[in-house]
Amino acid sequence: MKFDRPSISNAIRSSMATLLIFSILFSVATPLQAYQDTPAPESASEANTSSTKAESNSGLARFERGVDQLFGIFNGYVATVFFFPIPLNSHQYHSGGGVPLAVLWLVIGATYFTFRMNFINLRAFKHSILLVMGKYDDPEDEGEVTHFQALTAALSATVGLGNIAGVAIAIATGGPGAMFWMMLAGLLGMTSKFAECTLAQIYRRINPDGRVMGGPMCYLSVGLQDQFPGNSFMKGLGKTLAVFFAILCIGGSLAGGNSFQVKQSLGAVAETIPILKDNNLEWVYGIVMAFFVGIVIIGGIRSIARTTEKIVPLMCGIYILACLAIIIMQVEQIPACFKAIWDGAFSDNAMYGGFLGVLIIGFKRAAFSNEAGVGSAAIAHSAAKTKYPVREGIVASLGPFVDTIMICTMTALVMIITGAYNDPQYADLIKSDNGAALTSAAMNSQIPYFNYVLSVSVILFAYSTMISWSYYGERCWAFLFGDSAKISLAYRILFLIFVVLGSVVSATNILDFGDLMILGMAFPNILGVLLLSNRVKRELDGYWSRYKSGEFDNTTSASEGK
C-alpha cells in the first residue's frame, strides 16, 4: 500500500501557500480598514478604567478585532452550508426551519451503518468490554498502544466541556425529552465509530520506526482507489477528500481542540480563582497549560496514551460520582424524572419547539459531543496493537457509550432532578448559553462548594481534549507535508503556541472557527465510509464467524499456556 506522496504534497503545498499569503494580506488589511471606517466598539462597562480603554484600542487589540471580523465573515459562509436547514414537514418548509444539514448527515450515516452492520453496537458490547480488559491482547501485534490506551486517547478528545456545558444548555432549551434522543443518537453513533475505526486499521501504514500513520486521510486516499480499481474518478475523489479532511482537522486541532478549550476552561476556573482575571493574569494560565501539555505531546501517541489511560478514568470517575451523589440525594425524584424524559421526547409542547425541535436538539448535542462520524477518533485507534481491524472497531464503539450514554446522561439527570433547567433564577445563564455555570449552580444547590470540584473536572476535561487533538492535528500535518520527526515536532511547537494564544485571545469568531472545522470533517469522512462500507461488512462477517466459533478463545488459551 503506497501513498502518492509527491502529488499530494506538491498540490497541497502550492494551495496552502497561496491561501496563507492571501490570508496574511487580507488579515492585515482588514483590521486597518475596519479601524479607519468604524469606531472601536464600546467597552462592556462605562466604569472601565482609561488604561483598559487604551489597551482595547491598542494596535494588537485592533488587529485581533479585525482578524475576528474576517473569521466572522468566513464562519458565516461556512455555517450557512453546514447548518442549512433541511425541512422534514410542511410547516418547517414554509417557515424556513428544519434539521441542520451537518446533523442530518451524521444521523443518516449512523443509522445506515447500524442497520448495515446488523446492530454490531449491541451484539458486540460484551466482546468490547473483554477486549478493553485485555483478554485478547498480544504484545507481538503491530502498533503503538493497547486497546485500552487507544480508547482512552480517543475518549480524552471527546469527553470535554461539551459534556458539562453543552448538555446543560440542551436540556434547558429542549426540555427533559432531549435526553431520550441524545441517548438514541449515542447508540447509533457507536456503529459510526466502529466503521471508521475498522477502516483506519485496514488502511493504516506502519513506518520503519514503528510510528503509525492512519485515519480518514489514509482510508480516503487509498481505500477508495482499492475499492474501485481502475476508476480514475474514485482515485481523484479519494485524494481530494483526504486532503480536505486533513486541512479541516488541522484547523479543528489548533482552534476547537486547543485554543477554545483553554478559553472555556479559563472562564470556568476564573470563577473560582478570580485573581486570574482581576489582575490580567490569563496568560499565566495559558503558559501553565502549555507546559503540562508540552511534556506529554512531545513524546507522541505513546506518551499521550500513557497519560490518558490514567487521567480519563480519573476525570470521568470524579464527575460521575459527584452526579450520582446528587441523584441519590434526590432519589425520590427519579420516577418523575424519567416520566418527564419520556413525555418530553414525544411531546408537541411548543415551549421547547415541539417533537422535531426536541429531537433535533438531542441528536445535535450527541453528535457534537461524541464526534461519531467526524473521523477524529479513527486517528487514535489506528495506532492500536491488533492484527484484526474489526477488533479495534469494536473497541472504538464503546466511545459514544461512555461519552454520551454515561457522562452526558449524568449531566442531563442532574439538570432535570434539580429542576435547574427551568428555574427562573438561572434564566440569564440559559439565555447566555453559559452551560458550565448552569451545571455548577445546579450542583452547588445540592452540594456546597461543588464549584471547586467542577473546576478540577473542567481543567482535566480541557487538558485531556488538548493532548489528544494535538495528535490528530499532527498526524494530518504529517500526512500533508511528510511524516518525519522534524515535521511532527514543528507542529507540536505550533500547537503549544496556540495554547498560550487561547488564554489571551478574546475573539469569539476565531474560537468558533475550530468548531466549524471539526464539524466539517464529517462530510468527507462519512462519504468515504459509506463508499467503503462493503469492505467493513466483509471484514466484520469474517471476524464474527470466527469469534462465535470460539477460534479466538482457543488461540488465547494456547498462547497463555506457552
Side-chain angles (χ1 to χ4, degrees):
M1 181 189 311
K2 293 184 179 180
F3 295 94
D4 191 4
R5 176 66 55 201
S7 61
I8 293 178
S9 298
N10 292 338
I12 192 58
R13 284 193 181 107
S14 60
S15 60
M16 287 288 284
T18 303
L19 180 62
L20 180 60
I21 294 171
F22 175 77
S23 299
I24 292 173
L25 293 175
F26 195 22
S27 62
V28 171
T30 301
L32 294 177
Q33 185 65 34
Y35 180 65
Q36 291 169 357
D37 294 345
T38 60
E42 294 183 0
S43 302
S45 171
E46 294 296 331
N48 283 346
T49 62
S50 59
S51 61
T52 303
K53 291 181 179 179
E55 182 181 350
S56 67
N57 288 318
S58 66
L60 180 60
R62 293 199 305 271
F63 179 81
E64 180 184 324
R65 285 198 300 271
V67 174
D68 190 44
Q69 291 174 9
L70 175 63
F71 273 92
I73 296 171
F74 177 81
N75 291 353
Y77 284 118
V78 174
T80 300
V81 177
F82 289 179
F83 294 102
F84 183 81
I86 308 297
L88 298 183
N89 56 29
S90 59
H91 174 71
Q92 289 184 341
Y93 177 79
H94 292 294
S95 64
V99 183
L101 174 61
V103 176
L104 187 61
W105 183 240
L106 287 166
V107 173
I108 289 174
T111 305
Y112 172 79
F113 298 140
T114 299
F115 282 92
R116 184 76 178 88
M117 307 301 163
N118 295 327
F119 293 88
I120 190 63
N121 53 335
L122 303 179
R123 290 190 293 137
F125 188 80
K126 177 183 177 182
H127 187 45
S128 66
I129 300 296
L130 295 175
L131 286 170
V132 171
M133 292 174 62
K135 178 178 180 180
Y136 300 93
D137 282 358
D138 185 347
E140 301 301 319
D141 287 344
E142 288 187 307
E144 295 189 79
V145 296
T146 65
H147 290 302
F148 179 71
Q149 289 176 328
L151 178 63
T152 56
L155 274 173
S156 70
T158 59
V159 177
L161 301 180
N163 298 77
I164 298 175
V167 173
I169 295 301
I171 300 299
T173 56
M179 177 181 162
F180 176 87
W181 298 110
M182 199 184 308
M183 293 178 66
L184 179 60
L187 283 172
L188 295 175
M190 292 172 68
T191 322
S192 294
K193 280 283 176 76
F194 163 79
E196 63 191 18
C197 293
T198 297
L199 287 171
Q201 280 280 333
I202 293 173
Y203 292 104
R204 70 178 179 175
R205 184 187 69 200
I206 300 179
N207 297 328
D209 60 1
R211 291 185 302 123
V212 174
M213 170 63 75
M217 59 283 189
C218 296
Y219 59 71
L220 290 172
S221 61
V222 176
L224 291 182
Q225 181 180 351
D226 179 56
Q227 185 75 6
F228 304 94
N231 190 323
S232 58
F233 173 78
M234 282 298 178
K235 179 180 179 181
L237 177 64
K239 291 181 179 179
T240 301
L241 293 176
V243 170
F244 184 39
F245 175 88
I247 294 173
L248 291 171
C249 186
I250 291 171
S253 170
L254 293 175
N258 184 353
S259 296
F260 182 80
Q261 299 296 323
V262 176
K263 195 66 179 178
Q264 290 296 306
S265 62
L266 173 61
V269 173
E271 296 297 322
T272 305
I273 312 176
I275 191 175
L276 290 173
K277 282 191 173 181
D278 294 344
N279 295 277
N280 296 320
L281 295 176
E282 292 95 338
W283 59 271
V284 174
Y285 179 81
I287 290 177
V288 171
M289 286 292 280
F291 172 77
F292 284 104
V293 169
I295 60 178
V296 173
I297 70 173
I298 295 298
I301 185 61
R302 301 183 189 189
S303 177
I304 292 171
R306 286 195 298 269
T307 303
T308 58
E309 72 174 342
K310 299 177 180 66
I311 197 173
V312 168
L314 173 65
M315 71 182 188
C316 292
I318 291 175
Y319 189 70
I320 289 175
L321 286 175
C323 291
L324 284 175
I326 293 175
I327 294 170
I328 293 172
M329 290 169 60
Q330 300 290 337
V331 66
E332 71 280 358
Q333 299 291 332
I334 292 180
C337 172
F338 281 102
K339 183 177 186 301
I341 292 169
W342 180 259
D343 291 343
F346 302 97
S347 172
D348 286 330
N349 189 339
M351 179 180 178
Y352 297 118
F355 166 69
L356 283 177
V358 175
L359 182 149
I360 291 169
I361 290 172
F363 270 91
K364 181 179 178 181
R365 182 63 260 158
F368 287 178
S369 175
N370 60 48
E371 296 174 11
V374 169
S376 53
I379 301 175
H381 284 283
S382 70
K385 295 179 179 179
T386 183
K387 65 178 68 172
Y388 303 105
V390 168
R391 189 170 281 179
E392 190 57 30
I394 291 173
V395 170
S397 68
L398 280 176
F401 180 85
V402 174
D403 179 278
T404 304
I405 299 175
M406 289 181 61
I407 300 178
C408 287
T409 297
M410 288 291 105
T411 303
L413 287 174
V414 168
M415 287 293 105
I416 299 168
I417 287 177
T418 61
Y421 73 97
N422 62 357
D423 193 326
Q425 68 175 316
Y426 303 136
D428 290 338
L429 296 178
I430 298 171
K431 186 177 180 180
S432 61
D433 286 345
N434 194 344
L438 179 61
T439 304
S440 179
M443 293 186 165
N444 263 334
S445 68
Q446 305 296 317
I447 305 177
Y449 306 109
F450 182 80
N451 57 310
Y452 294 102
V453 177
L454 188 63
S455 292
V456 173
S457 297
V458 164
I459 292 174
L460 291 176
F461 279 25
Y463 177 71
S464 65
T465 298
M466 291 160 65
I467 60 177
S468 287
W469 268 100
S470 71
Y471 180 69
Y472 297 164
E474 179 260 313
R475 287 291 80 197
C476 287
W477 182 273
F479 173 79
L480 295 176
F481 301 110
D483 192 5
S484 68
K486 291 183 179 179
I487 293 291
S488 296
L489 180 61
Y491 182 82
R492 292 166 188 162
I493 293 173
L494 178 65
F495 189 87
L496 295 177
I497 293 173
F498 271 76
V499 174
V500 180
L501 288 176
S503 66
V504 297
V505 172
S506 59
T508 56
N509 287 328
I510 296 175
L511 299 176
D512 291 344
F513 165 81
D515 276 351
L516 287 174
M517 294 297 99
I518 293 173
L519 188 63
M521 291 159 57
F523 288 100
N525 180 60
I526 288 184
L527 177 59
V529 178
L530 284 169
L531 293 171
L532 293 168
S533 59
N534 286 339
R535 175 65 189 274
V536 179
K537 187 64 166 61
R538 289 198 304 270
E539 293 280 341
L540 171 59
D541 290 343
Y543 177 86
W544 200 248
S545 62
R546 296 174 67 185
Y547 166 68
K548 297 301 288 184
S549 69
E551 176 181 337
F552 298 131
D553 292 326
N554 295 335
T555 302
T556 303
S557 300
S559 63
E560 289 175 350
K562 290 182 179 179

